[in-house]
Amino acid sequence: MQNLPTLVGFSAILMWSALALLTAASGTMPPFQLSAICFLVGSMIGLGAMLRDPRRFSAFRQPAKVWALGLFGLFGYHFLYFTALRNAPAVEAGLIAYLWPLLIVVGSALLPGERLGWHHVVGALMGLAGTALILVRGAEGGFGGGSLIGYVAAGLCALTWSGYSLMSRRFGATPTDVIAGFCIISAVLSLVCHLFLETTVWPETMSQWLAVIGLGLGPVGLAFYAWDYGVKKGDIQVLGVGSYTAPLLSTLILILFGHGKASIGIAVACLLITGGAFLAAKDLLRGRKPMKGKLSA
């Protein structure tokens, strides 16, 4: 029965679509500090379930390469993502960061036994065109709408999560409980980096605190467990296609809540990036070739 796990996996996509909104609403807390708090909250979700059945702590007995991959994906991606949204407009940075579904499709086509088709190339070019449009126009009608650091960090986000997802195919038997361990170590690393590199800034309002806690409970917490369960037990094809809606949903949510302005440029960029991802996934949409995996750490 794949319906329930697939729905659980899709809930992760919905939570990730709120990542940019909650980050923008969390105030000016520096990236490492924000990561430390969010990962700590996220780890409590898994630890709470494991404490009810201590035998599940055996999931932490994993080889070093599993831990290295998990930290690269979770810690690396979210540090870059928070950095991007602290240094560039939320809508533009979010769209660039959500190039990862397109990069996963194109990257998987380059793996042994796969073939790079014309639709992969055209889809990639569409995504790059959408990204270029964002960089040229910016949030305020020019490149000055955000710093180069923010845009570069957003691009590295996409590369990090897509690389992590593709490499994770090798560890499909790794239990979902290990994600709690990834979150714990990521929280510790984030705290150490914060203490040495940043000045502590606490949320100034209750709404900012709620946004920080919401990040830890949802996009930087429960979403990891839900996605891992979904791709291992559910329909990976449906989840793979569903992930391409993330940039569109994220952009609409940001604009709806006043963290971005609707414009022709943003609409065109969103269509190029989302449309490019769907075109690159043409074979998957037709049901001719399943994705062999997306995230299994």
Side-chain angles (χ1 to χ4, degrees):
M1 182 67 177
Q2 290 187 318
N3 289 341
L4 179 58
T6 302
L7 289 174
V8 172
F10 189 74
S11 72
I13 299 170
L14 296 179
M15 285 185 274
W16 285 330
S17 297
L19 180 59
L21 172 66
L22 291 174
T23 303
S26 63
T28 59
M29 187 181 294
F32 281 123
Q33 182 186 357
L34 182 59
S35 296
I37 295 175
C38 291
F39 280 122
L40 177 62
V41 175
S43 69
M44 293 179 180
I45 297 173
L47 290 176
M50 296 169 75
L51 286 172
R52 292 195 293 269
D53 184 3
R55 292 174 298 178
R56 295 171 63 175
F57 280 98
S58 62
F60 290 165
R61 300 193 190 103
Q62 300 296 330
K65 57 186 178 182
V66 172
W67 291 102
L69 181 61
L71 294 177
F72 164 74
L74 272 66
F75 174 75
Y77 174 84
H78 288 89
F79 164 68
L80 290 168
Y81 191 88
F82 294 146
T83 299
L85 265 73
R86 289 291 185 261
N87 293 277
V91 170
E92 283 82 348
L95 276 174
I96 295 174
Y98 277 118
L99 280 168
W100 60 262
L102 171 61
L103 294 178
I104 287 173
V105 173
V106 175
S108 64
L110 297 174
L111 294 173
E114 302 291 345
R115 181 177 60 88
L116 186 65
W118 68 267
H119 53 288
H120 295 119
V121 176
V122 175
L125 291 175
M126 288 175 63
L128 289 175
T131 302
L133 180 61
I134 291 172
L135 296 178
V136 170
R137 294 181 62 87
E140 306 299 332
F143 189 76
S147 75
L148 180 60
I149 293 176
Y151 292 122
V152 170
L156 291 175
C157 279
L159 290 171
T160 298
W161 192 257
S162 58
Y164 164 61
S165 301
L166 288 169
M167 289 187 289
S168 291
R169 289 170 52 172
R170 299 175 53 192
F171 307 110
T174 304
T176 297
D177 287 332
V178 76
I179 290 178
F182 293 164
C183 289
I184 293 172
I185 298 178
S186 295
V188 173
L189 288 176
S190 297
L191 177 60
V192 172
C193 291
H194 167 65
L195 293 176
F196 280 96
L197 301 174
E198 298 175 337
T199 299
T200 301
V201 177
W202 295 109
E204 299 177 351
T205 65
M206 180 57 67
S207 62
Q208 290 179 357
W209 271 113
L210 291 175
V212 172
I213 300 302
L215 280 168
L217 290 176
V220 193
L222 186 59
F224 296 135
Y225 302 93
W227 184 256
D228 192 72
Y229 176 73
V231 297
K232 290 176 180 175
K233 305 294 185 181
D235 190 325
I236 186 67
Q237 283 187 282
V238 172
L239 291 174
V241 172
S243 67
Y244 307 133
T245 65
L248 177 59
L249 291 174
S250 178
T251 301
L252 293 176
I253 291 172
L254 283 168
I255 293 175
L256 180 64
F257 281 86
H259 289 278
K261 294 181 180 179
S263 67
I264 294 177
I266 288 298
V268 172
C270 191
L271 288 174
L272 283 170
I273 292 174
T274 307
F278 272 99
L279 179 61
K282 179 172 67 71
D283 290 338
L284 180 60
L285 289 166
R286 291 182 175 180
R288 296 191 313 195
K289 184 191 298 184
M291 282 183 73
K292 293 181 179 178
K294 180 178 180 297
L295 175 65
S296 56

